[in-house]
């Protein structure tokens, strides 16, 4: 009888534990839910703030593009189209993030803010390069005009019997440097406009930067030679 009672008590304890376990598990899950939701909301807040920051940068970039007198209409249109597509995509991504309740999915969506758009690594510096290239091409046009005026002055000086050998050599140097500047500045747009976040990697803008610098140096050289020719 004693053994039977002990067995009965043990069986009752096991049954009680089995019955109680789902309730305990549910209570544990219920208790963790607020913590999980709070963590998800914190991640959402940080990610949405990063999207807002990029939207502000895109808006500022559009304004800068509109104010650049030397930027060609075709180049301005292409840059603003890229900005518009990035802004629209980020807005859609913000809605997705706001509605997301799965932590793992949320982290993947937040990574897309950087990996899917590259606003600060690609979109904005690319626009600056294109703006710089067009500004340098505008300088090249002015240098051509100045060179033509110097040529006219040299011809007049020759007619007056003056020795223009040095001036002609300086003018030739000026024209050569101007052509070099035009070549480098003219290459920038095609080097960078096709780049996308998908084919982005460190250094993809380096050719554009190198050409911008080379054009800048050539413009300075052309200006120096032009001054020498005038003297």
């Amino acid at each position: 009888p004693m053994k039977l009672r002990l067995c009965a008590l043990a069986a009752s304890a096991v049954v009680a534990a089995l019955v109680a376990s789902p309730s305990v598990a549910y209570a544990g899950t219920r208790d963790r839910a607020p913590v999980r939701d709070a963590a998800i909301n914190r991640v959402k807040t940080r990610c949405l703030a990063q999207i807002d920051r990029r939207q502000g940068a895109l808006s500022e970039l559009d304004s800068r593009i509109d104010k650049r007198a030397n930027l060609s209409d075709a180049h301005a249109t292409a840059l603003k189209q890229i900005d518009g597509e990035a802004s629209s995509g980020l807005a859609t991504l913000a809605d997705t993030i706001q509605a997301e309740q799965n932590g793992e999915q949320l982290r993947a969506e937040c990574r897309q803010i950087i990996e899917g758009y590259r606003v600060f690594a690609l979109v904005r510096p690319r626009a600056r390069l294109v703006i710089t290239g067009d500004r340098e091409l505008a300088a090249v046009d002015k240098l051509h005009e100045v060179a033509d005026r110097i040529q006219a002055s040299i011809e007049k000086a020759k007619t007056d019997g003056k020795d223009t050998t040095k001036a002609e050599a300086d003018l030739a140097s000026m024209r050569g440097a101007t052509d070099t500047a035009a070549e480098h500045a003219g290459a920038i747009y095609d080097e960078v406009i096709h780049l996308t976040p998908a084919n982005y990697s460190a250094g993809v803008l380096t050719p554009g930067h190198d050409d911008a610098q080379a054009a800048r140096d050539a413009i300075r050289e052309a200006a120096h030679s032009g001054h020498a020719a005038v003297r």
Side-chain angles (χ1 to χ4, degrees):
M2 179 63 71
K3 290 182 178 180
L4 289 174
R5 283 199 298 272
L6 290 174
C7 290
L9 287 172
S12 298
V14 171
V15 171
L18 290 173
V19 172
S21 294
S23 298
V24 171
Y26 174 75
T29 302
R30 182 182 58 193
D31 292 341
R32 288 195 299 272
V35 176
R36 181 204 64 192
D37 292 344
I40 285 177
N41 286 335
R42 284 195 297 272
V43 174
K44 285 182 180 181
T45 298
R46 289 197 298 269
C47 293
L48 292 174
Q50 289 302 314
I51 288 178
D52 287 344
R53 181 169 171 246
R54 284 160 175 76
Q55 293 286 31
L58 290 170
S59 178
E60 179 185 354
L61 182 57
D62 274 352
S63 178
R64 185 179 302 174
I65 289 171
D66 288 337
K67 294 175 182 177
R68 288 296 181 265
N70 293 326
L71 185 62
S72 76
D73 290 342
H75 292 180
T77 297
L79 291 175
K80 292 190 73 171
Q81 180 178 345
I82 291 170
D83 292 351
E85 290 172 354
S87 180
S88 177
L90 284 168
T92 300
L93 182 58
D95 290 340
T96 301
I97 288 173
Q98 185 65 66
E100 187 60 70
Q101 295 302 319
N102 181 283
E104 185 176 349
Q105 287 285 61
L106 179 60
R107 287 191 292 273
E109 288 156 4
C110 288
R111 284 195 296 272
Q112 282 302 303
I113 298 172
I114 295 175
E115 297 172 1
Y117 296 94
R118 304 283 182 185
V119 172
F120 296 120
L122 175 60
V123 175
R124 193 164 64 172
R126 186 236 315 276
R128 288 173 176 169
L129 278 174
V130 172
I131 291 170
T132 296
D134 280 16
R135 183 172 65 244
E136 289 171 339
L137 288 173
V140 164
D141 289 340
K142 291 181 180 179
L143 286 169
H144 281 310
E145 294 174 3
V146 172
D148 289 343
R149 290 200 296 271
I150 293 173
Q151 182 68 56
S153 295
I154 288 174
E155 295 301 326
K156 183 177 183 304
K158 288 173 89 172
T159 301
D160 294 340
K162 295 179 180 179
D163 182 3
T164 61
T165 303
K166 179 64 167 59
E168 289 181 66
D170 288 332
L171 178 60
S173 295
M174 179 186 181
R175 290 193 185 279
T178 300
D179 290 342
T180 297
E183 179 181 355
H184 285 291
I188 294 173
Y189 179 82
D190 289 336
E191 286 173 330
V192 302
I193 198 63
H194 67 282
L195 299 172
T196 67
N199 60 27
Y200 173 84
S201 62
V204 292
L205 292 174
T206 298
H209 284 295
D210 290 346
D211 273 320
Q213 183 62 54
R216 189 177 302 117
D217 292 342
I219 287 169
R220 289 172 180 166
E221 181 183 345
H224 178 76
S225 295
H227 285 303
V230 169
R231 288 195 302 270

